[in-house]
Amino acid sequence: MTERTIPNASTGAPRVFSGAQPSADSMHLGNYLGAVRNWVDMQSDHECIYFIPDLHAITVPQDPAQLAERTRKTAAQYIASGIDPTSTPFFVQSHVPEHSQLAWLLTCITGDGEARRMTQFKDKSAKQGAENTSAGLYAYPMLMAADILLYQTDQVPVGEDQRQHLELTRNLAQRFNQRFGETFVVPEAKIMKSTAKIYDLQNPTAKMSKSGLSDNGAIWLLDEPKKMAKKIKSAVTDDGSEIRFDRDSKPGVSNLLSIYSSLTGQSIEEIETEFEGKMYGHLKVALAEIVVDTLGPIRERTLEIMNDPAELDRLLAIGAEKAREIAGPTVASAYEHMGFLAPRA
Ligand code: ATP
Ligand code: LTN
C-alpha cells in the first residue's frame, strides 16, 4: 500500500472522504439525515476530509452568479451542521487544481464503453437529449474518481446512487497501480443506510429531493421555523387513523415515523407505542417541534456564518491549503509513475 504523506494520520483511523454538490440554495431534511449528519458523526472516529464539488456542478448548465452563492451557502450549512473546519479539512474543489489534473490522467485510462455504461450518465443524457449533454457529464465519474484517489481515501460514505461510480473508482485505482506501480489506495464505498431515506411530505412515495414537485414536500434547512412546522402539519397522511409503520399502505405516516425516529434515535416500535390510540395530528405536532428544535439552531448558525463571508472564505482557504498538502504529492507521484518529464525546478 502507498505510504501516506498525510499531516495528521497519527491516529491510524480510516480516512473518509465525501461531499455533495452545491446544486441548491438550501439542503433539505433528506440530505441532512441521509448524508450530512453521518459525515458529522464520522468525525469522532475517522480521519475525515470533506469538500464541495463545484466542478461537478458545471456538468449541467449553471448561472455564474448562482454558482458562487450556492457554494458559499452549501459550505455554511455544512459547518452549521457540525463539520468542524478547524479539525477536518473542508474545502471547495475548484480551489485545489490537483482535482482537474488527476481527472485527466484517469480519463485517459478509462474505456469509452466503461464510461458510457454509467447509469447516471445514461439517465441524465437520455433526459436532456444528446445535443444538450456536455462531454463534462460524460467525464463526471473520472473527476469523481480523482477526488477520492487524491486523498488516499479508505472509505467513501455516499448514497446508493453513487455505488457504480465507486466501483469505477476502485477499478481505475487498481488499473493504475497495476500498469504504473503502486500509487493509490483502493477505496471502499460505505453506502449509507437506506433506513434514513426520507420521502416527500406531499407525495410520500417519491424521495424528498431538490427537484420535487411542490415546495411543501421538502423541509429546507433555511426555511423559517414556522414554515417547517407548517409543512409537517400539512403533510399528506393516509386513510384510517392508526399510527403504524407500513410503507405500502401507509406511506405518509411511515415517512413521519421514520423522520421522528431518525431525529430522536427512538425505534419505530417505541414511537408507535408512545402514540397508540392518538391521532395523526398528535404525531405531527410532536414531530414539528422536534424538527424545529433540530434544524432551527442549524439555520440560525448558517445565517450567522453567511453574514461573515470573509471569515467563511478564510476557513475555506485554510481547508484548500490542507487539502493541497495531500493532493499535491499524490499528483506528483501519479505523474512520475506515468512517465511524464519532470519540470525543471
Ligand atoms: P436531486 O433532488 O437533484 O436528486 P438530492 O436532493 O437527491 O438531489 P444529492 O445532492 O443528489 O441530493 O444528494 C446529496 C446526498 O443526500 C446524497 O448522499 C444522497 O444519498 C442524500 N439524500 C438525498 N435525498 C435524500 C433523501 N430523500 N433521503 C435520504 N438521503 C438523501
Ligand atoms: N457524485 C456525488 C458528489 C461527489 C462525490 C465526490 C461524493 C463528487 N465527487 C467524491 C463522494 C466523493 C453526488 O452527486 N452525490
Side-chain angles (χ1 to χ4, degrees), residues 74-279:
T74 306
Q77 289 170 72
Y78 279 23
I79 295 173
S81 299
I83 286 175
D84 178 359
T86 61
S87 55
T88 295
F90 176 54
F91 66 97
V92 174
Q93 188 183 30
S94 62
H95 295 175
V96 179
E98 285 82 358
H99 288 255
S100 307
Q101 290 180 295
L102 184 59
W104 177 247
L105 307 193
L106 297 177
T107 301
C108 293
I109 65 160
T110 305
D112 175 54
E114 202 174 23
R116 273 182 214 287
R117 274 196 297 278
M118 294 292 117
T119 49
Q120 181 178 294
F121 173 70
K122 286 200 285 190
D123 292 351
K124 282 200 184 169
S125 56
K127 239 190 234 164
Q128 299 171 356
E131 304 86 90
N132 297 321
T133 296
S134 70
L137 193 63
Y138 171 79
Y140 179 120
M142 289 72 97
L143 177 59
M144 179 162 167
D147 300 336
I148 296 165
L149 300 183
L150 273 178
Y151 300 96
Q152 309 293 9
T153 302
D154 297 301
Q155 295 176 5
V156 187
V158 280
E160 177 62 40
D161 59 330
Q162 297 300 313
R163 189 192 286 277
Q164 197 188 26
H165 291 158
L166 255 297
E167 237 356 90
L168 176 74
T169 304
R170 288 171 56 81
N171 289 339
L172 293 178
Q174 280 159 347
R175 188 174 306 159
F176 193 104
N177 289 347
Q178 251 162 25
R179 276 193 202 164
F180 305 111
E182 283 296 313
T183 309
F184 301 116
V185 169
V186 180
E188 275 177 24
K190 200 167 169 162
I191 304 297
M192 292 183 288
K193 290 242 169 21
S194 59
T195 46
K197 187 160 175 179
I198 308 301
Y199 293 83
D200 188 292
L201 296 173
Q202 291 300 317
N203 180 16
T205 50
K207 86 176 183 106
M208 189 179 285
S209 139
K210 283 169 201 155
S211 40
L213 291 178
S214 130
D215 180 62
N216 284 334
I219 303 265
W220 301 101
L221 194 76
L222 296 184
D223 277 344
E224 289 201 5
K226 263 192 203 149
K227 195 165 181 187
M228 292 181 191
K230 198 164 165 219
K231 284 180 177 178
I232 295 281
K233 287 176 192 163
S234 55
V236 165
T237 37
D238 316 285
D239 289 346
S241 60
E242 197 189 352
I243 296 177
R244 178 169 54 81
F245 190 93
D246 182 338
R247 185 72 73 202
D248 294 328
S249 67
K250 287 179 163 276
V253 174
S254 301
N255 189 35
L256 298 181
L257 285 170
S258 50
I259 297 174
Y260 198 109
S261 166
S262 287
L263 286 171
T264 59
Q266 281 175 263
S267 71
I268 299 279
E269 295 75 38
E270 280 168 357
I271 305 164
E272 282 173 341
T273 310
E274 192 175 322
F275 286 94
E276 212 175 319
K278 298 202 174 134
M279 322 258 273

Side-chain angles (χ1 to χ4, degrees), residues 21 51 53-60 93 139-141 143-145 147:
Q21 291 186 49
F51 83 136
D54 57 344
L55 295 171
H56 279 99
I58 63 161
T59 55
V60 292
Q93 188 183 30
Y140 179 120
L143 177 59
M144 179 162 167
D147 300 336

Side-chain angles (χ1 to χ4, degrees), residues 259-338:
I259 297 174
Y260 198 109
S261 166
S262 287
L263 286 171
T264 59
Q266 281 175 263
S267 71
I268 299 279
E269 295 75 38
E270 280 168 357
I271 305 164
E272 282 173 341
T273 310
E274 192 175 322
F275 286 94
E276 212 175 319
K278 298 202 174 134
M279 322 258 273
Y280 291 157
H282 290 114
L283 176 65
K284 287 180 171 179
V285 168
L287 181 59
E289 198 177 317
I290 293 165
V291 167
V292 166
D293 283 352
T294 310
L295 297 189
I298 302 179
R299 172 180 179 274
E300 286 291 310
R301 182 85 191 101
T302 304
L303 297 178
E304 272 169 38
I305 297 168
M306 287 298 294
N307 264 334
D308 191 354
E311 172 61 9
L312 177 58
D313 291 354
R314 190 186 71 84
L315 291 170
L316 292 172
I318 294 172
E321 207 174 298
K322 286 189 200 158
R324 294 197 76 182
E325 284 175 30
I326 308 171
T330 308
V331 164
S333 159
Y335 271 42
E336 193 187 325
H337 280 103
M338 257 190 152

